[in-house]
Amino acid sequence: SQTIHQWPATLVQPVGSPLSLECTVEGTSNPNLYWYRQAAGRGLQLLFYSVGIGQISSEVPQNLSASRPQDRQFILSSKKLLLSDSGFYLCAWSIVASGTEAFFGQGTRLTVV
Amino acid sequence: GESVGLHLPTLSVQEGDNSIINCAYSNSASDYFIWYKQESGKGPQFIIDIRSNMDKRQGQRVTVLLNKTVKHLSLQIAATQPGDSAVYFCAELLGNTPLVFGKGTRLSVIA
């Protein structure tokens, strides 16, 4: 069966510090991978998605970047965090096909102080 | 931006009653719709889905209705239980594009 791992679960970082959140998927090959952010009381905002190694699409220009160094690994990064980067970050995967659901990790609660 | 919107941000229901959560979507070309349940501090979990060639689909205690004429989606939960308390999101999808989510409705079940 397929599983998705996302870590860390919680993170407190000072303004201006770097960020690296990692997500890995097991049990499937060539998945679509996604990073979403969820602000308090809001919906899920798509940040990045990837349809293959090295292929990243950015939905919202901002202080973050994403990379996919391996087929089942998706990394969210920042060189210098801003207060506004605080939020709940969710990684998700789906199979490469039309009309399929996305499966989510447990999320990372990031607080920038 | 968020092209999928929800009519009500919060919904309180008595335990045992039926719940109805509504969603308006904006892209008439969307061909796949999903309802997710998100418990506090966790990632969203799939509840039920429906394709655009259907207008109703039933699961265990849940039913999704799709009205393409008015671009409206609803989730009905029968005999609501305390464990149903969560935030519910609808999401729309067109082809292999990423899911677009609405703001969510918080369902509170009153014992």
Side-chain angles (χ1 to χ4, degrees):
Chain A
S1 63
Q2 301 89 357
T3 56
I4 180 169
H5 302 282
Q6 187 181 343
W7 67 94
T10 59
L11 190 60
V12 180
Q13 292 284 100
V15 169
S17 65
L19 172 74
S20 181
L21 302 181
E22 189 162 345
C23 172
T24 59
V25 180
E26 296 177 356
T28 188
S29 297
N30 194 31
N32 286 343
L33 296 171
Y34 312 90
W35 279 110
Y36 286 87
R37 178 169 62 194
Q38 187 176 28
R42 298 296 299 271
L44 285 82
Q45 180 186 38
L46 179 66
L47 301 176
F48 302 95
Y49 71 97
S50 171
V51 298
I53 295 174
Q55 300 179 62
I56 308 294
S57 296
S58 174
E59 292 295 302
V60 183
Q62 54 200 324
N63 187 40
L64 302 169
S65 62
S67 62
R68 185 170 178 173
Q70 301 180 45
D71 180 44
R72 291 170 288 178
Q73 183 185 27
F74 206 23
I75 298 172
L76 182 69
S77 304
S78 174
K79 293 182 179 179
K80 288 185 178 181
L81 283 169
L82 306 172
L83 288 173
S84 58
D85 292 324
S86 294
F88 192 48
Y89 289 83
L90 288 154
C91 180
W93 74 273
S94 67
I95 65 172
V96 181
S98 296
T100 60
E101 70 266 33
F103 300 92
F104 285 84
Q106 288 302 295
T108 295
R109 174 75 60 192
L110 172 65
T111 303
V112 183
V113 296
Chain B
E2 297 169 349
S3 66
V4 180
L6 296 177
H7 295 308
L8 297 173
T10 59
L11 177 66
S12 296
V13 298
Q14 289 290 136
E15 181 178 358
D17 287 353
N18 297 333
S19 303
I20 299 177
I21 301 172
N22 296 302
C23 173
Y25 64 93
S26 60
N27 189 349
S28 59
S30 291
D31 54 14
Y32 182 59
F33 305 88
I34 305 173
W35 280 101
Y36 281 91
K37 173 185 179 182
Q38 186 179 26
E39 297 177 329
S40 181
K42 297 183 178 180
Q45 289 188 305
F46 171 92
I47 301 174
I48 191 168
D49 59 0
I50 188 168
R51 302 194 183 277
S52 59
N53 61 351
M54 304 171 66
D55 54 20
K56 181 179 180 179
R57 189 160 190 228
Q58 288 185 296
Q60 187 177 12
R61 283 201 308 119
V62 295
T63 301
V64 55
L65 299 177
L66 175 62
N67 186 330
K68 294 182 289 292
T69 302
V70 295
K71 293 187 289 186
H72 184 267
L73 195 68
S74 69
L75 176 70
Q76 300 178 5
I77 304 174
T80 311
Q81 302 169 359
D84 294 327
S85 294
V87 177
Y88 291 81
F89 293 96
C90 69
E92 61 180 309
L93 179 67
L94 173 60
N96 195 31
T97 60
L99 287 167
V100 175
F101 287 84
K103 291 185 179 181
T105 293
R106 181 173 300 279
L107 175 65
S108 296
V109 181
I110 304 167

